[in-house]
Amino acid sequence: MEFDGVKEKTLVLVKPDAIQRGLIGEIVGRFEKKGLKLVGIKMMALDDEILTKHYSHLTDKPFFPSLANFMKSSPVIAMAWEGLEVVNAVRLLCGITKARTAEAGSIRGDLAMSVSCNVVHASDTVENAQNEVKRFFDEEELHNYNKSEYEHVYAEDER
Ligand code: IDP
Ligand code: MG
């Protein structure tokens, strides 16, 4: 029986700039190597309806129309990742928004230069992550399975 903490989920999007630059495998690999569990993945084209909800905190910003056009310029890869305190762990892996000043070693710090074209989205709080995973995935698209490496990724009292 797994401890509930390892069931925390977060939403990651591989953004259109990363799709164009052939970085899907590199980005997915960062999360895999960290020891996270992939519980949902799909390619999808975003429309204004989902983008307006997803970026509701930015709709009144002057850059919102160009951000929406960027996010519609190709499909994205949507992923749900699971793990202990995964929301925070994934934000740290991604690095800060302005990629050219993001910490070296982070995904944005290593792979991008732009504020807007910063290769990934990651949910910023546990509450937002729950809403975002629901927004991008139907219940049946989220998978429940045992990952054999968990006994090496977590100590016994963490899993
Ligand atoms: P986050 O992706 O690091 O959580 P947010 O502030 O939530 O950053 O912004 C969402 C996305 O909107 C950013 O990742 C980036 O693509 C875009 N964005 C944020 N601020 C700006 C800006 O000042 N100019 C252009 N695009 C921006
Ligand atoms: Mg954000």
Side-chain angles (χ1 to χ4, degrees), residues 54-55 57-58 91 97 108 121-124 132:
H54 180 65
Y55 285 137
H57 58 303
L58 300 173
R91 287 288 288 192
T97 312
R108 286 168 169 170
H121 164 81
S123 308
D124 60 354
E132 290 182 3

Side-chain angles (χ1 to χ4, degrees), residues 15 54-55 57-58 61 63-64 66-67 70-71 91 95-98 108 114-124:
K15 292 182 173 182
H54 180 65
Y55 285 137
H57 58 303
L58 300 173
K61 300 277 187 203
F63 60 80
F64 180 73
S66 55
L67 174 62
F70 163 59
M71 293 298 289
R91 287 288 288 192
I96 62 166
T97 312
K98 186 179 174 184
R108 286 168 169 170
S114 169
V115 173
S116 185
C117 304
N118 53 10
V119 295
V120 275
H121 164 81
S123 308
D124 60 354

Side-chain angles (χ1 to χ4, degrees), residues 44 50 53-55 130-137:
M44 59 192 293
I50 198 165
K53 288 183 193 143
H54 180 65
Y55 285 137
Q130 286 169 348
N131 292 331
E132 290 182 3
V133 169
K134 273 196 213 129
R135 181 175 301 134
F136 283 81
F137 288 93

Side-chain angles (χ1 to χ4, degrees), residues 20 43 65 103 124 132:
Q20 294 295 342
M43 185 173 238
E103 198 176 353
D124 60 354
E132 290 182 3

